[in-house]
Amino acid sequence: MKNLGALLRHIHLNGPTSRAALTEEFGLNRSTIMALTAELAALGLVREELPDDVQKAGRPSLVVSPESEKVFVLAFDVAVDWLVAARVGLGGVILDRRAAVRQRRFPDLDDVVGTLAEFARQLLRDVPGDAVCVGVGASFCGMIRPHDGTVRYGPKTGWVDQAFGPELERRLPLGLPVRVGNEAHLGAVAENERGAGIGFRNLIYLHGDVGVGGGVIVDGKRLGGDDGYAAEAGHMVVNPFDGRPCLCGSRGCLEAEVGESALLDLAGWPHGSVGRDAVASVVHAAERGDQTAREALNRVGDWLGVGVANLINLFNPGVVVFGGMLRDVYRGSAEQVRTRIEANVLPVSRERVELRIAALGDDTTLVGGAELGFAGLLADPAEAVSRARRPRA
Amino acid sequence: MKNLGALLRHIHLNGPTSRAALTEEFGLNRSTIMALTAELAALGLVREELPDDVQKAGRPSLVVSPESEKVFVLAFDVAVDWLVAARVGLGGVILDRRAAVRQRRFPDLDDVVGTLAEFARQLLRDVPGDAVCVGVGASFCGMIRPHDGTVRYGPKTGWVDQAFGPELERRLPLGLPVRVGNEAHLGAVAENERGAGIGFRNLIYLHGDVGVGGGVIVDGKRLGGDDGYAAEAGHMVVNPFDGRPCLCGSRGCLEAEVGESALLDLAGWPHGSVGRDAVASVVHAAERGDQTAREALNRVGDWLGVGVANLINLFNPGVVVFGGMLRDVYRGSAEQVRTRIEANVLPVSRERVELRIAALGDDTTLVGGAELGFAGLLADPAEAVSRARRPRA
């Protein structure tokens, strides 16, 4: 059973793989691999086919592929910026999606769950008849109690102790548990498994979504801390005395100094400008020579650099990945960030660290939510299939 | 073999334990436990005796005790403040020690290793004839390459890429590998296993030794990062603009703001005052009402609080332990530290975190070195005994 999950996980993350390659990868013998892939095929999770281009002499090794069209999760992404729902197939393929853009004020629990449930209804309506839903995962822009998906605290949503997970579960027509995680925690996993951080054992993910979230991979595992609230890099105080006020009630937090409103403010953008497009427009203006935009970006980049330098000193990671709107901010201020790293990181800790931009683009956190949805299936494929729902049946 | 090590580890950390209690603790049956403890006894690692006070009817359960006098490691503690060598018995008993106090300038590799080797010679001379040395562990105040014990960088020692581990190994008359770790990393383990942090899965240890070192336990394991250089909390920048210069070349590092010289400076202590006694004297003066000392401590405590608040936001630990000279600093500025935590830590992350003073006193890092020395024995008792050295044979 453990091998079955590990094998499925390999195919889920790496795509179609020949039995021969699986045999080598897992160090099991051919007949064992054959039995396992047959079991996965019998569960409807993979199919085994002859490779397209058979060239070598002898019997070719069958290729094992994930049944992406038939086995899916529902994934949700609740950002300050937007609400997204998607149907994501085994293998990580986004098959279909619905999205709503940001409102002026963050909506309340009922509205958020209502919108997501309606999206889910639409997504499930269009599902092929033989498709099964094996899990539900949601990424949320706030601090999440892991075991029940309650939003404990979200400075930018204004939510305190809102039963988001249970409520969403109640409103979906599936009877499947809804697993919820913090957006940046899940983003770290997504970039580690499928994005800019593949292969790294220690990774920092900084997610810009109006504010700044953090996710950390320590020795291959998501850092949670005692209660699941770790990695709050956005609320690391970098400017303890003259800091900008932060929505969390503190001052000089990293997100107060490098978040959306700091950048737009410093750049002199019109009052009321919001969103990732506005952030991108500051970066473009700076690139085109706008001096105020350039100075704003320099200043924000310097603060971002202080935060990144501290994180490198604390975690000795192999890579730091910038996601969400920080992709644009980092692109526009990489020099300032690097200067701070040179100045503030201990020499031996910066010998090998890399700085990268999220490879999954705007979907990093959504993909993280999907992976959370797949977790039960990958832990125990047979058990998960027995509980799966066929929405059109 | 895995059970054998786990059993020995339990006795090493918890002291004399009845077979009945071990049976319950490990969920193995009585005969298995009996076979394992017999094997440990045959290896000379434990003894089995009738309990002192036999009261219950029936055959009493034998008590299994570590052979602390006969099975030992050499432990070294190289602090900026001092050099210590000790013979530490199984069970964590410090049997004998030699120490030299701090010099004006930190000595070079040859001098340090020479002093430690001479201490070791003296310690080994006084060993009982039937005692065996099963390992050597050293705690060092610098950044250590784990696999060979090279000191990569020590801002306060001035050392860069010094082959401390290999050189100490060469100079000891034992032919045993010398394992070296960063003092605060090892201190975190020591306080987690034997001190103020017993039972916590996530722990921060801040060690004051002229500067400030950090050690972090994440989900029960020491945080190392990609290369072993993680947890450098002392070089987290807390004061990016007006910060005091740090010996690492940066400014405004936590250790620059709360280290020994910052406190003595601010308190107006005579130029040239150094050492833990001087730090303690500032705290005592503040307690007696010395206004300058009080203000110095308030300021240092505020910076310490910024650092601690950031660490709590990042790691969501169950406990923060203050060790070395930070025991005195924290004792004298707990209010400032708590005020910062109230102001800067996200509410849900500070619901349950505790702040404590190191329970192992000045021996936290030495005990950590000893535990590193015992690691091989606890991983594979039989193998380690076969390689052990009988110094008086």
Coordinates of all heavy atoms in Angstrom, one line a residue, chain A residues 197-282:
Chain A
G197 N 11.2 25.3 -7.8 CA 12.0 24.8 -6.7 C 12.1 23.2 -6.7 O 12.4 22.6 -5.7
I198 N 11.9 22.6 -7.9 CA 11.9 21.2 -8.0 C 13.3 20.7 -7.6 O 14.3 21.3 -8.0 CB 11.6 20.7 -9.4 CG1 10.1 20.9 -9.7 CG2 12.0 19.2 -9.6 CD1 9.7 20.6 -11.1
G199 N 13.4 19.7 -6.7 CA 14.7 19.1 -6.3 C 15.3 19.7 -5.1 O 16.3 19.2 -4.6
F200 N 14.8 20.8 -4.6 CA 15.4 21.5 -3.4 C 14.8 20.9 -2.2 O 13.6 20.7 -2.1 CB 15.2 23.0 -3.5 CG 16.0 23.7 -4.5 CD1 15.5 23.9 -5.8 CD2 17.3 24.1 -4.2 CE1 16.3 24.5 -6.7 CE2 18.1 24.7 -5.2 CZ 17.6 25.0 -6.4
R201 N 15.7 20.6 -1.2 CA 15.3 20.1 0.1 C 14.8 21.2 1.1 O 14.1 21.0 2.0 CB 16.4 19.3 0.8 CG 16.9 18.1 0.0 CD 15.9 17.0 0.0 NE 15.6 16.5 1.4 CZ 14.6 15.7 1.6 NH1 13.7 15.4 0.7 NH2 14.4 15.2 2.9
N202 N 15.4 22.4 0.9 CA 15.1 23.6 1.7 C 14.8 24.8 0.8 O 15.6 25.2 0.0 CB 16.3 23.9 2.6 CG 16.6 22.7 3.6 OD1 15.9 22.6 4.6 ND2 17.5 21.9 3.3
L203 N 13.6 25.3 1.0 CA 13.1 26.3 0.1 C 12.3 27.3 0.8 O 11.6 27.0 1.8 CB 12.2 25.6 -1.0 CG 11.3 26.3 -2.0 CD1 11.2 25.5 -3.2 CD2 10.0 26.7 -1.4
I204 N 12.4 28.6 0.4 CA 11.6 29.7 0.9 C 10.7 30.1 -0.2 O 11.2 30.4 -1.3 CB 12.5 30.9 1.3 CG1 13.6 30.5 2.3 CG2 11.6 32.0 1.9 CD1 13.2 30.4 3.7
Y205 N 9.4 30.2 0.0 CA 8.5 30.8 -0.9 C 7.9 32.1 -0.4 O 7.3 32.0 0.7 CB 7.4 29.8 -1.3 CG 6.4 30.3 -2.2 CD1 6.7 30.7 -3.6 CD2 5.1 30.6 -1.8 CE1 5.8 31.2 -4.4 CE2 4.1 31.1 -2.7 CZ 4.5 31.4 -4.0 OH 3.6 32.0 -4.8
L206 N 8.1 33.2 -1.1 CA 7.4 34.4 -0.6 C 6.3 34.8 -1.6 O 6.6 34.9 -2.8 CB 8.5 35.5 -0.6 CG 9.5 35.4 0.6 CD1 10.5 36.5 0.5 CD2 8.7 35.5 1.9
H207 N 5.1 34.9 -1.1 CA 4.0 35.1 -2.0 C 3.4 36.5 -1.8 O 3.0 36.9 -0.7 CB 2.9 34.1 -1.6 CG 1.7 34.1 -2.5 ND1 1.8 33.7 -3.8 CD2 0.5 34.6 -2.3 CE1 0.6 33.9 -4.4 NE2 -0.2 34.4 -3.5
G208 N 3.4 37.3 -2.9 CA 2.8 38.6 -2.8 C 1.3 38.6 -3.2 O 1.0 38.2 -4.4
D209 N 0.4 38.9 -2.3 CA -1.0 38.9 -2.6 C -1.6 40.0 -1.8 O -2.1 39.8 -0.7 CB -1.6 37.6 -2.2 CG -3.2 37.6 -2.1 OD1 -3.8 38.3 -3.0 OD2 -3.8 36.9 -1.3
V210 N -1.4 41.3 -2.3 CA -1.7 42.5 -1.5 C -0.6 42.6 -0.4 O 0.2 43.5 -0.4 CB -3.1 42.6 -1.0 CG1 -3.3 43.9 -0.3 CG2 -4.1 42.4 -2.1
G211 N -0.6 41.6 0.5 CA 0.4 41.6 1.5 C 1.5 40.5 1.1 O 1.6 40.2 -0.1
V212 N 2.2 40.0 2.1 CA 3.2 39.0 1.8 C 3.1 37.8 2.7 O 3.0 37.9 3.9 CB 4.6 39.6 2.0 CG1 5.7 38.5 1.9 CG2 4.9 40.8 1.1
G213 N 2.9 36.7 2.1 CA 2.9 35.4 2.8 C 4.2 34.6 2.7 O 4.9 34.9 1.7
G214 N 4.4 33.7 3.6 CA 5.6 32.9 3.5 C 5.3 31.5 3.6 O 4.4 31.1 4.4
G215 N 6.1 30.7 2.9 CA 6.0 29.2 3.0 C 7.4 28.7 3.0 O 8.3 29.2 2.3
V216 N 7.7 27.7 3.9 CA 9.0 27.2 4.0 C 9.0 25.7 3.9 O 8.2 25.0 4.5 CB 9.7 27.6 5.3 CG1 11.1 27.1 5.4 CG2 9.6 29.1 5.5
I217 N 9.9 25.2 3.1 CA 10.2 23.7 3.0 C 11.5 23.4 3.8 O 12.5 24.0 3.4 CB 10.3 23.2 1.6 CG1 9.0 23.6 0.8 CG2 10.5 21.7 1.6 CD1 7.8 22.9 1.2
V218 N 11.4 22.6 4.8 CA 12.6 22.3 5.6 C 12.8 20.8 5.4 O 11.9 20.0 5.8 CB 12.3 22.6 7.1 CG1 13.4 21.9 8.0 CG2 12.3 24.1 7.4
D219 N 14.0 20.5 4.9 CA 14.3 19.1 4.7 C 13.2 18.3 4.0 O 12.9 17.2 4.4 CB 14.7 18.4 6.0 CG 15.6 17.2 5.8 OD1 16.1 17.0 4.7 OD2 15.6 16.4 6.8
G220 N 12.6 18.9 3.0 CA 11.6 18.3 2.2 C 10.2 18.3 2.7 O 9.3 17.9 2.0
K221 N 10.0 18.9 3.8 CA 8.7 19.0 4.4 C 8.2 20.4 4.7 O 9.0 21.2 5.1 CB 8.6 18.3 5.8 CG 8.5 16.8 5.7 CD 8.4 16.3 7.1 CE 8.2 14.8 7.3 NZ 8.6 14.4 8.7
R222 N 6.9 20.6 4.6 CA 6.3 22.0 4.8 C 6.5 22.3 6.3 O 6.1 21.5 7.2 CB 4.9 21.9 4.5 CG 4.0 23.1 4.9 CD 2.9 23.2 4.0 NE 1.9 22.2 4.0 CZ 0.6 22.3 4.4 NH1 0.2 23.5 4.8 NH2 -0.2 21.3 4.4
L223 N 7.1 23.5 6.6 CA 7.2 23.9 8.0 C 5.9 24.4 8.5 O 5.2 25.3 8.0 CB 8.2 25.1 8.0 CG 8.4 25.8 9.4 CD1 9.2 24.9 10.3 CD2 9.2 27.1 9.2
G224 N 5.5 23.8 9.6 CA 4.2 24.1 10.2 C 4.3 24.8 11.6 O 3.5 25.6 12.0
G225 N 5.3 24.3 12.4 CA 5.4 24.7 13.8 C 4.4 23.9 14.6 O 3.7 23.0 14.1
D226 N 4.2 24.4 15.9 CA 3.4 23.6 16.8 C 1.9 23.5 16.3 O 1.3 22.5 16.5 CB 3.4 24.3 18.2 CG 4.3 23.6 19.1 OD1 5.2 22.9 18.7 OD2 4.1 23.8 20.4
D227 N 1.4 24.6 15.7 CA 0.0 24.6 15.5 C -0.4 24.9 14.0 O -1.5 25.1 13.6 CB -0.7 25.8 16.3 CG -0.4 25.6 17.8 OD1 -0.8 24.6 18.4 OD2 0.3 26.5 18.3
G228 N 0.7 24.9 13.2 CA 0.4 25.1 11.7 C 0.6 26.6 11.3 O 0.3 26.9 10.1
Y229 N 1.0 27.4 12.2 CA 1.0 28.9 11.9 C 2.4 29.4 11.6 O 2.6 30.6 11.6 CB 0.4 29.7 13.0 CG -1.0 29.1 13.5 CD1 -1.3 29.0 14.8 CD2 -1.9 28.8 12.5 CE1 -2.5 28.5 15.2 CE2 -3.2 28.3 12.9 CZ -3.5 28.1 14.2 OH -4.7 27.7 14.6
A230 N 3.4 28.6 11.3 CA 4.7 29.0 11.1 C 4.9 29.7 9.7 O 3.9 29.8 9.0 CB 5.7 27.8 11.2
A231 N 6.1 30.2 9.5 CA 6.5 30.8 8.2 C 5.8 32.1 7.8 O 5.8 32.5 6.7 CB 6.2 29.7 7.1
E232 N 5.3 32.8 8.9 CA 4.7 34.1 8.6 C 5.7 35.2 8.3 O 5.9 36.1 9.1 CB 3.8 34.5 9.8 CG 2.4 33.7 9.8 CD 1.5 34.2 8.6 OE1 1.7 35.2 8.0 OE2 0.5 33.4 8.4
A233 N 6.4 35.0 7.2 CA 7.5 35.9 6.9 C 7.0 37.3 6.7 O 7.7 38.3 6.9 CB 8.2 35.4 5.6
G234 N 5.8 37.5 6.2 CA 5.2 38.8 6.0 C 5.1 39.6 7.2 O 5.0 40.8 7.2
H235 N 5.1 38.9 8.4 CA 4.9 39.7 9.7 C 6.2 39.7 10.5 O 6.2 40.0 11.7 CB 3.7 39.2 10.4 CG 2.5 39.5 9.6 ND1 1.9 40.7 9.6 CD2 1.8 38.7 8.8 CE1 0.8 40.7 8.8 NE2 0.8 39.4 8.3
M236 N 7.3 39.3 9.8 CA 8.6 39.6 10.4 C 8.8 41.1 10.4 O 8.6 41.7 9.4 CB 9.7 38.9 9.5 CG 11.1 39.2 9.8 SD 12.3 38.1 8.9 CE 11.7 38.3 7.2
V237 N 9.2 41.6 11.5 CA 9.4 43.1 11.6 C 10.8 43.4 11.0 O 11.8 42.9 11.5 CB 9.3 43.6 13.1 CG1 9.6 45.0 13.2 CG2 7.8 43.3 13.6
V238 N 10.8 44.2 10.0 CA 12.1 44.7 9.4 C 12.3 46.1 9.8 O 13.5 46.6 9.6 CB 12.1 44.4 7.9 CG1 12.2 42.9 7.6 CG2 10.9 45.1 7.2
N239 N 11.3 46.8 10.2 CA 11.5 48.3 10.4 C 10.8 48.6 11.7 O 9.7 49.2 11.7 CB 10.8 49.0 9.2 CG 11.2 50.5 9.2 OD1 12.0 51.0 10.0 ND2 10.6 51.2 8.3
P240 N 11.5 48.3 12.9 CA 10.8 48.3 14.2 C 10.4 49.7 14.6 O 9.5 49.8 15.5 CB 11.8 47.7 15.1 CG 12.9 47.2 14.3 CD 12.8 47.8 13.0
F241 N 11.0 50.8 14.2 CA 10.7 52.1 14.7 C 9.9 53.0 13.8 O 8.9 53.6 14.2 CB 11.9 52.7 15.3 CG 12.4 52.0 16.5 CD1 13.6 51.3 16.4 CD2 11.7 52.0 17.6 CE1 14.0 50.5 17.5 CE2 12.1 51.3 18.7 CZ 13.2 50.5 18.7
D242 N 10.4 53.1 12.6 CA 9.7 54.0 11.7 C 8.8 53.3 10.7 O 8.4 53.8 9.7 CB 10.7 54.8 10.8 CG 11.7 55.5 11.7 OD1 11.3 56.1 12.8 OD2 12.9 55.4 11.4
G243 N 8.4 52.1 11.1 CA 7.7 51.2 10.1 C 6.3 51.7 9.8 O 5.7 52.4 10.6
R244 N 5.9 51.4 8.6 CA 4.5 51.6 8.2 C 3.5 50.7 9.1 O 3.9 49.6 9.4 CB 4.3 51.2 6.8 CG 4.9 52.1 5.8 CD 4.8 51.6 4.4 NE 5.2 52.6 3.5 CZ 4.4 53.4 2.8 NH1 3.1 53.3 2.9 NH2 4.9 54.3 2.0
P245 N 2.4 51.2 9.4 CA 1.4 50.4 10.1 C 1.0 49.2 9.2 O 0.9 49.3 8.0 CB 0.2 51.4 10.3 CG 0.4 52.5 9.4 CD 1.9 52.6 9.1
C246 N 0.8 48.1 9.9 CA 0.4 46.9 9.2 C -1.0 46.5 9.6 O -1.4 46.8 10.8 CB 1.4 45.8 9.6 SG 1.1 44.2 8.7
L247 N -1.7 45.9 8.8 CA -3.1 45.5 9.1 C -3.2 44.6 10.3 O -4.3 44.4 10.9 CB -3.8 44.9 7.9 CG -4.2 45.9 6.8 CD1 -4.7 45.2 5.5 CD2 -5.3 46.9 7.3
C248 N -2.1 43.9 10.6 CA -2.1 43.0 11.8 C -2.1 43.8 13.1 O -2.2 43.2 14.1 CB -0.9 42.0 11.7 SG 0.7 42.7 12.1
G249 N -1.9 45.1 13.0 CA -1.8 45.9 14.2 C -0.4 46.3 14.6 O -0.2 47.1 15.5
S250 N 0.6 45.6 14.0 CA 2.0 45.9 14.3 C 2.5 47.0 13.4 O 1.7 47.6 12.6 CB 2.8 44.6 14.2 OG 4.1 44.8 14.4
R251 N 3.7 47.3 13.4 CA 4.3 48.3 12.5 C 5.6 47.7 11.9 O 6.3 47.0 12.6 CB 4.7 49.6 13.2 CG 3.6 50.3 13.9 CD 4.2 51.7 14.4 NE 4.3 52.7 13.4 CZ 3.3 53.5 13.0 NH1 2.1 53.4 13.7 NH2 3.4 54.4 12.1
G252 N 5.9 48.1 10.7 CA 7.2 47.7 10.1 C 7.3 46.3 9.7 O 8.4 45.8 9.5
C253 N 6.2 45.6 9.6 CA 6.2 44.2 9.1 C 6.7 44.2 7.7 O 6.5 45.2 7.0 CB 4.8 43.6 9.1 SG 4.2 43.3 10.8
L254 N 7.3 43.1 7.3 CA 7.8 43.0 5.9 C 6.7 43.3 4.9 O 6.9 44.1 3.9 CB 8.3 41.6 5.6 CG 8.9 41.3 4.2 CD1 10.1 42.2 3.9 CD2 9.3 39.9 4.0
E255 N 5.5 42.9 5.2 CA 4.4 43.1 4.2 C 3.9 44.6 4.2 O 3.4 45.1 3.2 CB 3.2 42.1 4.4 CG 2.2 42.5 5.4 CD 0.9 41.6 5.3 OE1 1.0 40.4 4.9 OE2 -0.2 42.1 5.5
A256 N 4.1 45.2 5.4 CA 3.8 46.7 5.4 C 4.7 47.5 4.5 O 4.3 48.5 3.9 CB 3.8 47.2 6.8
E257 N 6.0 47.0 4.5 CA 7.0 47.8 3.7 C 7.1 47.4 2.3 O 7.6 48.2 1.5 CB 8.4 47.6 4.4 CG 8.4 47.9 5.9 CD 8.2 49.5 6.1 OE1 8.3 50.2 5.2 OE2 7.9 49.8 7.3
V258 N 6.7 46.2 1.9 CA 6.8 45.8 0.5 C 5.5 45.4 -0.1 O 5.5 44.9 -1.3 CB 7.8 44.6 0.3 CG1 9.1 44.9 1.1 CG2 7.3 43.3 0.7
G259 N 4.4 45.5 0.6 CA 3.1 45.1 0.1 C 2.6 46.1 -1.0 O 3.2 47.1 -1.2
E260 N 1.5 45.7 -1.5 CA 0.9 46.5 -2.6 C 0.8 48.0 -2.3 O 1.2 48.8 -3.1 CB -0.5 45.8 -2.9 CG -1.2 46.5 -4.1 CD -2.6 45.8 -4.2 OE1 -2.6 44.6 -4.5 OE2 -3.6 46.5 -4.1
S261 N 0.2 48.2 -1.1 CA -0.1 49.7 -0.9 C 1.2 50.5 -0.6 O 1.2 51.6 -0.9 CB -1.1 49.8 0.3 OG -0.5 49.3 1.5
A262 N 2.2 49.8 0.0 CA 3.5 50.6 0.2 C 4.0 51.0 -1.2 O 4.4 52.1 -1.4 CB 4.5 49.7 0.9
L263 N 4.1 50.0 -2.1 CA 4.6 50.3 -3.4 C 3.8 51.4 -4.2 O 4.4 52.3 -4.7 CB 4.7 49.0 -4.3 CG 5.4 49.2 -5.6 CD1 6.8 49.6 -5.5 CD2 5.2 48.0 -6.5
L264 N 2.5 51.2 -4.2 CA 1.7 52.2 -4.9 C 1.7 53.6 -4.3 O 1.8 54.6 -5.0 CB 0.2 51.7 -5.0 CG 0.0 50.3 -5.7 CD1 -1.4 49.9 -5.6 CD2 0.5 50.4 -7.2
D265 N 1.8 53.6 -3.0 CA 1.9 54.9 -2.2 C 3.2 55.6 -2.6 O 3.2 56.8 -3.0 CB 2.1 54.5 -0.8 CG 1.0 55.1 0.1 OD1 -0.1 55.1 -0.5 OD2 1.2 55.4 1.2
L266 N 4.3 54.8 -2.5 CA 5.6 55.4 -2.7 C 5.8 55.9 -4.2 O 6.4 56.9 -4.5 CB 6.8 54.4 -2.4 CG 7.0 54.1 -0.9 CD1 7.9 52.8 -0.8 CD2 7.6 55.3 -0.2
A267 N 5.1 55.2 -5.1 CA 5.2 55.5 -6.5 C 4.3 56.6 -6.8 O 4.3 57.1 -8.0 CB 4.9 54.3 -7.3
G268 N 3.5 57.1 -5.9 CA 2.6 58.2 -6.1 C 1.4 57.8 -7.0 O 0.8 58.6 -7.7
W269 N 1.1 56.5 -7.1 CA 0.0 56.1 -7.9 C -1.3 56.6 -7.4 O -1.4 56.9 -6.2 CB -0.1 54.6 -8.0 CG 0.3 54.0 -9.3 CD1 -0.4 53.1 -10.1 CD2 1.5 54.2 -10.0 NE1 0.3 52.8 -11.2 CE2 1.4 53.5 -11.3 CE3 2.6 55.1 -9.8 CZ2 2.5 53.5 -12.2 CZ3 3.6 55.1 -10.8 CH2 3.6 54.3 -12.0
P270 N -2.3 56.9 -8.2 CA -3.6 57.5 -7.7 C -4.2 56.7 -6.6 O -4.2 55.5 -6.6 CB -4.5 57.4 -9.0 CG -3.6 57.2 -10.1 CD -2.4 56.6 -9.7
H271 N -4.7 57.5 -5.6 CA -5.3 56.9 -4.5 C -6.5 55.9 -5.0 O -7.2 56.3 -5.9 CB -5.9 58.0 -3.6 CG -6.5 57.4 -2.3 ND1 -5.6 57.0 -1.3 CD2 -7.7 57.2 -1.9 CE1 -6.4 56.5 -0.3 NE2 -7.7 56.7 -0.6
G272 N -6.5 54.7 -4.4 CA -7.5 53.8 -4.8 C -7.0 52.8 -5.9 O -7.7 51.9 -6.2
S273 N -5.8 53.0 -6.4 CA -5.2 52.0 -7.3 C -5.0 50.7 -6.5 O -4.5 50.8 -5.4 CB -3.8 52.4 -7.8 OG -3.9 53.7 -8.4
V274 N -5.4 49.6 -7.0 CA -5.2 48.3 -6.4 C -5.0 47.2 -7.4 O -5.2 47.4 -8.6 CB -6.5 47.9 -5.5 CG1 -6.7 48.8 -4.3 CG2 -7.7 47.8 -6.4
G275 N -4.4 46.1 -6.9 CA -4.4 44.9 -7.7 C -3.0 44.7 -8.3 O -2.1 45.5 -8.3
R276 N -2.9 43.4 -8.8 CA -1.6 43.0 -9.4 C -1.3 43.8 -10.6 O -0.1 44.1 -10.9 CB -1.7 41.5 -9.7 CG -1.9 40.8 -8.4 CD -1.6 39.3 -8.5 NE -2.1 38.6 -7.3 CZ -1.9 37.3 -7.0 NH1 -1.2 36.6 -7.9 NH2 -2.3 36.8 -5.9
D277 N -2.3 44.3 -11.4 CA -2.0 45.1 -12.6 C -1.4 46.4 -12.2 O -0.5 46.9 -12.8 CB -3.3 45.3 -13.4 CG -3.8 44.0 -14.0 OD1 -3.0 43.1 -14.1 OD2 -4.9 44.0 -14.5
A278 N -1.9 47.0 -11.1 CA -1.3 48.3 -10.6 C 0.1 48.1 -10.2 O 1.0 48.9 -10.6 CB -2.1 48.8 -9.5
V279 N 0.4 47.0 -9.5 CA 1.8 46.7 -9.1 C 2.7 46.6 -10.4 O 3.8 47.2 -10.5 CB 1.9 45.4 -8.3 CG1 3.3 45.0 -8.1 CG2 1.2 45.7 -6.9
A280 N 2.2 45.8 -11.3 CA 3.0 45.6 -12.6 C 3.2 46.9 -13.3 O 4.2 47.1 -13.9 CB 2.2 44.6 -13.5
S281 N 2.2 47.8 -13.2 CA 2.3 49.1 -13.9 C 3.4 49.9 -13.3 O 4.1 50.7 -14.0 CB 1.0 49.8 -14.0 OG 0.7 50.4 -12.7
V282 N 3.6 49.8 -12.0 CA 4.8 50.6 -11.4 C 6.1 50.0 -11.9 O 7.0 50.8 -12.2 CB 4.7 50.4 -9.8 CG1 5.9 51.1 -9.2 CG2 3.4 51.1 -9.3

